[in-house]
Amino acid sequence: MVVDHPHVSLVHMLERTPLDERRKQMAWSFVADCMRVPVCLVHEARTVAGAAVELAMRVAPEQGDNAVLDGAGVRRAEVESVVQWLLEFYAREAQARRPVTEAVQTPASSPASPTVG
């Protein structure tokens, strides 16, 4: 099996998109995070790159973003699938990093209920 890295596709995509440097960096970071999940084995590299651009636009939206991926050779449904995969990955990462006291609240640590007197 040959797997193309989405970074190459992202570079080509960013050359043709009007994203500012901050959002380009976000997209690059999202592609790097894609290497931590098997999404690159399921979707084409350009789809993963498109999802990174889409997610960067969602995090920092600007007027005219709707047309950025037009002509990029990606299917919107597949891009959305990769975006959802990344969002689930981030949610799992956030859950794993929560302190135990926040993750599991025992009755002893819950606030006391008011007494009726």
Side-chain angles (χ1 to χ4, degrees), residues 5-17 19 24-32 45-46 48-50 52-53:
H5 278 250
H7 293 85
V8 175
S9 296
L10 182 62
V11 168
H12 295 300
M13 198 172 286
L14 292 178
E15 289 172 349
R16 299 186 311 263
T17 60
L19 296 180
K24 286 180 179 181
Q25 184 59 46
M26 276 188 225
W28 189 265
S29 296
F30 293 140
V31 164
R46 72 173 171 250
V48 174
V53 170

Side-chain angles (χ1 to χ4, degrees), residues 49-80:
V53 170
E54 175 70 22
L55 198 51
M57 291 186 301
R58 288 184 190 182
V59 170
E62 290 186 8
Q63 192 170 12
D65 282 347
N66 292 338
V68 168
L69 291 179
D70 292 348
V74 295
R75 293 186 182 116
R76 289 284 181 175
E78 290 180 14
V79 166
E80 185 59 33

